[in-house]
């Protein structure tokens, strides 16, 4: 029998996945102090996208994305699209790995070889994937509780410390909407919320199929509220200029905590917390890649694929960009237009239309 | 000449020779011969020391001697079958009497302490239950001590142990199933469960696993414990052992299955989940508030004993900024002149502590004091004063040691002792990142583990709301909705 | 074919285990023993006459700080190392060359910037510390006044053996107790400088002149050793030092930002009488509007105080008796605020943050006047209201005077 994850675990996994790198990169920051508005709007739009993914899922409740593309668009086009998706997931996994390796490298381990940092992370992920999606779900639940207690604890510390300056977020009503709209689309919509396309590979693993839609929407809204909250807190502590120029604003904000000269310098803790979040995101993309490629090549034992794909992602994470600045540039200016928009928005909507028409014909 | 293990059809002399061949010229094999008026000869055979001589004298020899002159059968040397039946049904006043006809049964009942009566040229023998092994009386538990609660503990005798449990659960649904395991030791094993509370699938698994055990000897319950766990290797214990009958009874009431093994006062309980290792019997005998706090304290101290050395090394060698300035300067001052790197220092102290602990257990009581003096004074004080290690490191190791003693179960404490070194080296290798990765690794490991099909981390993840009333905290008895049958509901 | 190439997972896992073992041997390069690094605790930046920067790095000598270690010596608890260069960064790494152990920056407590550099611009000097991830952004920054920055760090201090620490606690103390000091962190300075509509004011540190041998341990053997003192406030326009004022004159700034926790004020009242009041909480509200190109600045201050001392004979019986005292304290505060506004107007630096207030209140006006704000500020009309209510008068009613003499 196939391993299943339950609804609570599914919820936790989505929230951890959504928050993962969005928190690190502070996706809303290009909208300045109105990052929270753009995050909330993007979250709502993300819910609509999610409805597209779940609608597709209801047509083929027991199949992952890479299989129903072949049913909808036929064997040949379908397999090409599936393959593109598998590559996309692999590329995203590599990007996540690169993001967090860079974070570790810049903030704490400057003398350590990035290969070792990345390889260790990959090693743990490989072990996690080998243990199966159910195990990942269980660990996600425990991780969710732990990570959120740490994140809220840090915010409480910042609050006790008197770092939160409400004046920084004033005035609340924006005068100029254009940077906000620009942040919403494509950045904030695609980077955490559109990436939910990866979960179309995991929907079949959920034990209560009927709750996919409800739990997913709750999770997206929860994570978008948390991201908006975190964005407001960061703007309150630093201000929009520093948030925009800082490479990791969350860490700059955490580094200001100083309670009685005893609880100080929490960056290392925050770095570890963020990396933990990143590992969950990496796990999801990695898992999607593995089952996607196993589908395409029709390999029964997925475990065989874990090592080669893992090593491939590891290599790819170093090959995709010469340095971190370029990596971020590609992430903001290239990836959304060439990868996210087509694969997260255009293809799923086209798939849905085709599936809808096909189903209609069948009924008639 | 191969001994034929078939039916008996010998005279007394042959029987005696045969016995000696099978059991060796044992000095504890006693053969009492009777010659009853030259009519029917009989011998009584038993092994000295493992049978009750009182029973043999009053319930076997005395009745036989009383009837042998009057009885009709004693005059008929050829009608031994009737004679056996007559003795069994009308004469012998012992409670267990059976008729056996093969050498296998004769030998096994002899070595287990029963007495055998053999009439000359008979094809059958009488086996009388006279098992009685001298055993110590029920005493206070030594490893699982309580302030409040019953003071009796299991002994080495399985019958005593099962009676201790039965006296606590006086309900017909309590099942105690006996069987024998161990090809040579033929150890008695009892599986205990409560018929209407136990989960049938778990029971089936346990029974199957017990049945499939193939081993020469079983001297302690650990022997079968390792057969009960799944094949995957894990440092985490998946069964729970107790020497307290009340703990056994309590667990049976929760729907678990108990296993008693003859010859050891430690019974097994399965399935066992991670959180069960942090519960003690006292949690249920004290007020719920204090026992909940104590339980949280135990979990906390387990985490401390697991992580402290690793986190300390990680902070000091990789993230010195996280330590407040004054403390960091003070640590640096203490380490001035210490020849070892921090990780080696901690490692050496940890190993020294483990040696001391091991020595403390094995050492004869009389010289125990000497060991503690050497440990505390020479190693503790001397090493710091000589400047070989810094006093912070000694404090860290002492903290670890004390917290590891606060963990109630020895077996989970041992897990902590092993994993502590993993964290220590990962912390030294790559700081908090390494510790986080090790936690992930262990997380993936135990989230996959299960004990008889029950997920090892059960009420925590996968989360079970109803089970939280006796998990991290224990609700008062009055408010506990389901006092019993936890395992089945949790699953 | 693909499947053959892939091989079995367990085999791969063994390979992985070997790789990770090798990495164990290869890495560890971030492993630093705590007794093989030197904690940089303070940095002083000076500008030499030839235009180069001089950085003084203060590192801790741990065994002289705590008495716990058996190897403790008698020398000073800190060591200062200097380096010179064309930029702050160059000066810093030149000073690294002289260190016996690599410096570690997470414990950096304070950056002292000399007057000359402050006049040249703060952002440039702080760039290095803002960029370096090891330096925490909550590191305090002060400016030296009338003495070189390095001499401030050179002076050995009593009570707290580490001069940088001592300076920090001095700054914190003066802000917390007397309400006459402003210590800002690196992040706050950058934030305020970048923010339009408000300017920075930082407490300055000076060494009392005359006495020389502050760097000797003998300095500590006196009952009143020479140590750096907070002597006033430097006012900045953008990131450049424009003017300086004496000690307690910074108080209006703290009041304007509602940062004052406690302060003391002495005000004259009636004839030859003085009252010393302890200000407990002082809250302020600012209002800014622009009418016909002239800004109108309004500041309402409300506070609670208690009487500490009354000099001269005074009967204190009811609320009526309190009123003149309250009035005099209010007047004194009002005077201080007015003076401060006048000073800042003179140098066109909006230290009290009226411009920022305008941006909240009238964003459309702010958008329009943003560019010309500093010249506009100079022309502004001001209005200050102060309302202080005295809560208690200590443990006594009448002032303690020899009353018989008065009645005769």
């Amino acid at each position: 029998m196939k391993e299943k994850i339950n609804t609570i675990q599914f919820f936790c996994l989505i929230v951890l996945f959504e928050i993962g790198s969005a928190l690190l990169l502070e996706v809303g920051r290009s909208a300045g102090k109105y990052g929270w508005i753009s995050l909330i709007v993007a979250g709502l739009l993300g819910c609509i996208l999610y409805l597209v993914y779940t609608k597709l899922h209801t047509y083929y409740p027991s199949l992952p994305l890479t299989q129903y593309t072949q049913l909808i668009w036929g064997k040949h086009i379908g397999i090409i699209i599936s393959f593109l998706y598998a590559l996309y997931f692999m590329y995203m996994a590599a990007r996540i790995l690169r993001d967090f390796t860079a974070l570790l490298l810049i903030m704490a381990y400057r003398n350590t070889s990035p290969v070792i940092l990345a390889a260790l992370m990959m090693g743990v992920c490989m072990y996690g994937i080998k243990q199966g999606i159910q195990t990942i779900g269980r660990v996600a639940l425990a991780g969710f509780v732990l990570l959120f207690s740490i994140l809220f604890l840090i915010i409480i510390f910042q609050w006790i410390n008197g770092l939160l300056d409400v004046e920084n977020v004033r005035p609340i009503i924006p005068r100029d909407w254009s940077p906000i709209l620009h942040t919403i689309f494509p950045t904030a919509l695609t980077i955490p919320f559109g990436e939910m396309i990866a979960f179309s590979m995991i929907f079949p693993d959920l034990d209560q199929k009927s709750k996919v839609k409800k739990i997913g929407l709750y999770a997206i809204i929860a994570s978008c509220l948390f991201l908006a909250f975190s964005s407001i807190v960061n703007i309150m502590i630093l201000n929009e200029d520093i948030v925009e120029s800082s490479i990791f604003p969350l860490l700059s904000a955490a580094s200001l905590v100083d309670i009685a000269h005893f609880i100080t310098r929490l960056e290392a803790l925050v770095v570890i917390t963020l990396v933990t979040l990143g590992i969950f995101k990496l796990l999801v993309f990695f898992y999607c890649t593995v089952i996607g490629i196993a589908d395409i090549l029709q390999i029964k034992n997925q475990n065989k694929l874990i090592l080669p794909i893992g090593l491939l992602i590891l290599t790819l994470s170093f090959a995709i960009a010469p340095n971190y600045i370029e990596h971020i540039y590609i992430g903001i200016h290239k990836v959304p237009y060439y990868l996210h928009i087509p694969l997260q928005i255009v293809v799923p909507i086209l798939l849905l239309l085709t599936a809808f028409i096909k189903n209609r014909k069948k009924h008639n | 000449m191969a001994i034929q293990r078939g039916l008996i059809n010998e005279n007394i002399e042959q029987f005696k020779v045969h016995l000696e061949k099978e059991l060796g010229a044992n000095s504890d094999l006693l053969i009492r011969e009777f010659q009853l008026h030259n009519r029917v000869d009989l011998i009584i055979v038993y092994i000295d020391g493992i049978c009750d001589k009182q029973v043999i004298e009053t319930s076997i020899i005395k009745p036989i001697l009383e009837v042998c002159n009057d009885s009709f059968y004693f005059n008929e040397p050829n009608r031994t079958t009737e004679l056996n039946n007559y003795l069994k049904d009308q004469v012998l006043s012992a409670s267990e009497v059976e008729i056996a006809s093969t050498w296998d049964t004769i030998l096994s009942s002899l070595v287990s302490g029963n007495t055998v009566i053999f009439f000359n040229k008979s094809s059958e023998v009488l086996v009388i239950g006279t098992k009685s092994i001298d055993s110590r009386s029920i005493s206070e538990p030594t490893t699982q001590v309580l302030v409040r609660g019953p003071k009796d503990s299991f002994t080495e005798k399985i019958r005593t142990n099962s009676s201790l449990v039965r006296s606590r659960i006086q309900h017909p649904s309590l099942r105690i199933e006996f069987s024998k395991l161990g090809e040579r030791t033929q150890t008695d094993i009892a599986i205990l469960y409560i018929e209407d509370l136990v989960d049938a699938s778990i029971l089936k698994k346990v029974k199957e696993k017990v049945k499939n055990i193939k081993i020469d000897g079983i001297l302690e319950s650990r022997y079968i414990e390792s057969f009960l766990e799944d094949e995957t290797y894990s440092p985490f214990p998946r069964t729970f052992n107790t020497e307290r009958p009340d703990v056994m009874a309590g667990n049976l009431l929760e729907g678990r299955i108990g296993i008693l093994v003859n010859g050891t006062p430690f019974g097994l309980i399965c399935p066992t989940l991670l959180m069960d290792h942090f519960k003690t019997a006292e949690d249920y005998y004290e007020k719920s508030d204090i026992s909940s706090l104590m339980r949280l304290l135990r979990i906390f101290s387990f985490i401390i004993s697991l992580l402290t050395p690793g986190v300390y090394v990680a902070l000091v060698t990789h993230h010195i900024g996280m330590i407040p300035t004054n403390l960091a300067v003070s640590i640096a001052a203490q380490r001035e002149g210490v020849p070892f790197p921090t990780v080696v220092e901690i490692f050496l102290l940890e190993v020294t502590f483990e040696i001391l602990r091991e020595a403390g257990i094995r050492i004869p009581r009389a010289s125990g004091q000497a060991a503690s003096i050497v440990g505390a004074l020479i190693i503790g004080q001397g090493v710091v004063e000589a400047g070989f290690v810094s006093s912070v490191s000694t404090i860290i190791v002492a903290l670890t040691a004390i917290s590891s003693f606060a963990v109630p179960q020895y077996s989970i404490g041992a897990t902590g002792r092993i994993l502590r070194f993993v964290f220590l080296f990962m912390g030294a290798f790559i700081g908090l990142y390494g510790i986080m990765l090790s936690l992930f690794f262990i997380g993936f490991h135990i989230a996959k583990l299960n004990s008889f099909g029950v997920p090892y981390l059960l009420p925590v993840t996968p989360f079970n709301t109803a089970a939280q009333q006796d998990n991290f905290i224990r609700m008062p008895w009055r408010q506990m909705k389901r006092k019993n049958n936890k395992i089945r509901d949790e699953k | 074919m693909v499947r053959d190439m892939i091989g079995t997972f367990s085999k791969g896992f063994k390979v992985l285990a070997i790789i990770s073992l090798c990495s164990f041997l290869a890495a560890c390069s971030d492993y630093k023993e705590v007794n093989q690094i030197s904690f940089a605790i303070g940095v002083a930046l000076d500008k030499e006459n030839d235009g180069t920067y001089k950085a003084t790095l203060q590192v801790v000598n741990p065994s002289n700080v705590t008495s716990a270690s058996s190897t403790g010596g008698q020398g000073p608890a800190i060591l200062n190392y200097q380096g010179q260069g064309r930029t702050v960064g160059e000066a810093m790494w030149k000073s690294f060359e002289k260190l016996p152990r690599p410096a570690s920056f997470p414990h950096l407590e304070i950056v002292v910037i000399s007057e000359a550099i402050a006049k040249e611009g703060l952002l440039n000097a702080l760039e290095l510390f803002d960029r370096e991830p090891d330096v925490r952004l909550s590191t305090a920054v002060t400016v030296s006044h009338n003495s070189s920055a390095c001499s401030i760090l050179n002076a050995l201090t009593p009570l707290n053996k580490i001069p940088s620490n001592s300076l920090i606690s001095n700054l914190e103390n003066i802000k917390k107790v007397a309400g006459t000091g402003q210590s800002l962190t690196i992040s706050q300075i950058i934030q305020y400088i970048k923010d339009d509509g408000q300017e920075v004011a930082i407490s300055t540190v000076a060494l009392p002149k005359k006495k020389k041998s502050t760097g000797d341990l003998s300095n500590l053997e006196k009952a009143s050793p020479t140590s750096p003192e907070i002597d006033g406030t430097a006012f900045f326009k953008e990131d450049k030092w424009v003017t300086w004022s004496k000690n307690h004159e910074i108080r209006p700034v703290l009041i304007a930002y509602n940062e004052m926790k406690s302060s003391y004020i002495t005000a004259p009242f009636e004839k030859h009488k003085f009252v010393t009041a302890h200000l407990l909480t002082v809250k302020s509200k600012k209002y800014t509007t622009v009418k016909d190109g002239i800004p109108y600045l309004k500041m309402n201050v409300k506070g609670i105080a208690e009487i500490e001392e009354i000099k001269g004979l005074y009967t204190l019986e009811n609320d009526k008796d309190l009123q003149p005292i309250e009035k005099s304290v209010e007047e004194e505060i009002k005077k201080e605020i007015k003076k401060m506004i006048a000073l800042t107007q003179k140098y066109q630096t909006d230290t009290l943050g009226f411009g920022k207030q305008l941006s909240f209140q009238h964003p459309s006006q702010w958008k329009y006047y943003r560019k010309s704000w500093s010249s506009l500020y100079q022309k502004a009309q001001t209005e200050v209201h102060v309302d202080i209510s005295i809560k208690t008068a200590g443990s006594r009613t009448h002032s303690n005077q020899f009353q018989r003499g008065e009645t005769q």
Side-chain angles (χ1 to χ4, degrees), chain B residues 50 100 104-116 127 131:
Chain B
I50 55 170
D104 278 345
T105 10
I106 293 174
L107 292 172
S108 66
S109 45
L110 268 179
V111 292
S112 62
N114 292 335
T115 305
V116 169
V127 177
K131 268 188 225 172

Side-chain angles (χ1 to χ4, degrees), chain B residues 313 316-318 320-321 323-326 328-338 341-343 425-426 428-429 441, chain C residues 13 23-24 27-28 30-35 37 39 41 60 62-63 65-66 68-69 71 101 104 106-107 109 136 165:
Chain B
V313 171
V316 165
T317 59
H318 284 86
I320 189 71
I323 301 178
T325 312
N326 289 339
V329 169
S330 159
I331 292 173
Q334 286 174 30
R335 280 200 48 82
E336 210 68 62
V338 171
T342 315
V343 51
F425 286 116
M426 284 310 280
F429 168 45
F441 202 84
Chain C
F13 214 73
S23 71
F24 258 94
C28 265
D30 269 304
Y31 184 98
K32 287 183 207 114
E33 284 299 339
V34 72
N35 52 339
I37 52 175
F39 299 103
I41 203 114
V60 185
S63 42
V65 177
T66 49
S69 97
T71 51
R101 294 170 180 175
S104 113
H107 291 284
E109 299 261 357
R136 53 185 140 179
N165 264 345

Side-chain angles (χ1 to χ4, degrees), chain A residues 230-241:
Chain A
S230 160
S231 160
I232 290 181
V233 168
N234 286 344
I235 295 280
M236 277 193 200
I237 294 170
L238 308 167
N239 67 10
E240 49 181 331
D241 296 318

Side-chain angles (χ1 to χ4, degrees), chain B residues 348-361 417:
Chain B
L348 287 181
L349 279 172
E350 284 286 351
V351 169
T352 316
F353 166 68
E354 291 296 332
I355 292 170
L356 268 177
R357 188 211 291 247
E358 187 62 18
I361 298 171
R417 281 157 72 185

Side-chain angles (χ1 to χ4, degrees), chain B residues 61 92 147 158 191 222 238 244-245 257 260 333 343 348 361-362 406 462 476-477:
Chain B
I61 300 177
L92 295 174
V147 176
I158 192 166
I191 298 176
R222 176 70 231 175
R238 277 157 290 167
R244 302 187 60 91
I257 299 158
L260 290 172
V343 51
L348 287 181
I361 298 171
R362 312 277 163 245
W477 280 114

Side-chain angles (χ1 to χ4, degrees), chain C residues 1-157:
Chain C
M1 195 186 83
V2 180
R3 276 170 234 186
D4 294 340
M5 275 161 61
I6 287 163
T8 60
F9 187 78
S10 64
K11 207 181 198 176
F13 214 73
K14 274 174 204 158
V15 175
L16 206 74
I18 292 167
I19 292 172
S20 61
L21 269 178
C22 294
S23 71
F24 258 94
L25 302 169
C28 265
S29 37
D30 269 304
Y31 184 98
K32 287 183 207 114
E33 284 299 339
V34 72
N35 52 339
Q36 279 159 15
I37 52 175
S38 39
F39 299 103
I41 203 114
V43 170
L45 298 176
D46 280 300
K47 190 150 195 200
E48 296 291 274
N49 293 331
D50 57 354
T52 56
Y53 292 95
K54 188 172 83 177
T56 308
L57 190 64
Q58 182 161 80
V59 300
V60 185
N61 182 357
S63 42
N64 285 345
V65 177
T66 49
S67 48
S69 97
S70 51
T71 51
Q74 284 302 310
I78 48 100
L79 298 162
N80 288 340
Y81 296 92
Q82 290 182 331
Q84 252 178 319
R86 288 162 294 169
T87 64
V88 176
E90 190 176 31
M92 287 290 277
W93 73 255
K94 286 269 170 69
S95 76
F96 292 167
E97 289 176 343
K98 298 172 188 167
L99 286 168
R101 294 170 180 175
S104 113
F105 279 90
H107 291 284
L108 190 68
E109 299 261 357
I110 197 161
V111 178
V112 185
I113 293 174
S114 78
E115 205 175 325
I117 296 181
K119 281 177 176 157
E120 189 186 280
L122 282 181
L123 284 184
N124 199 15
L126 292 178
E127 154 84 17
L128 173 78
F129 302 98
D130 185 33
R131 189 179 287 275
E132 166 68 47
D134 265 359
V135 174
R136 53 185 140 179
L137 288 174
S138 56
T139 305
V141 177
T142 75
V143 185
S144 74
H145 178 238
N146 281 339
S147 34
S148 68
C150 81
S151 70
I152 304 276
L153 284 193
N154 257 334
L156 293 181
T157 47

Side-chain angles (χ1 to χ4, degrees), chain B residues 336-403:
Chain B
E336 210 68 62
V338 171
F340 306 110
T342 315
V343 51
V344 175
E345 193 186 345
I346 295 274
F347 179 72
L348 287 181
L349 279 172
E350 284 286 351
V351 169
T352 316
F353 166 68
E354 291 296 332
I355 292 170
L356 268 177
R357 188 211 291 247
E358 187 62 18
I361 298 171
R362 312 277 163 245
I363 210 159
R365 282 222 180 112
S367 44
Q369 224 165 6
S372 58
I373 288 172
V374 170
L377 283 182
I378 300 178
I379 297 176
Q381 211 179 338
V383 161
V384 174
E385 273 178 15
F388 288 156
V389 300
S390 61
S391 34
V392 201
S393 306
T394 359
I395 293 168
I396 294 294
V397 173
L399 181 70
T400 319
I402 290 172
S403 337

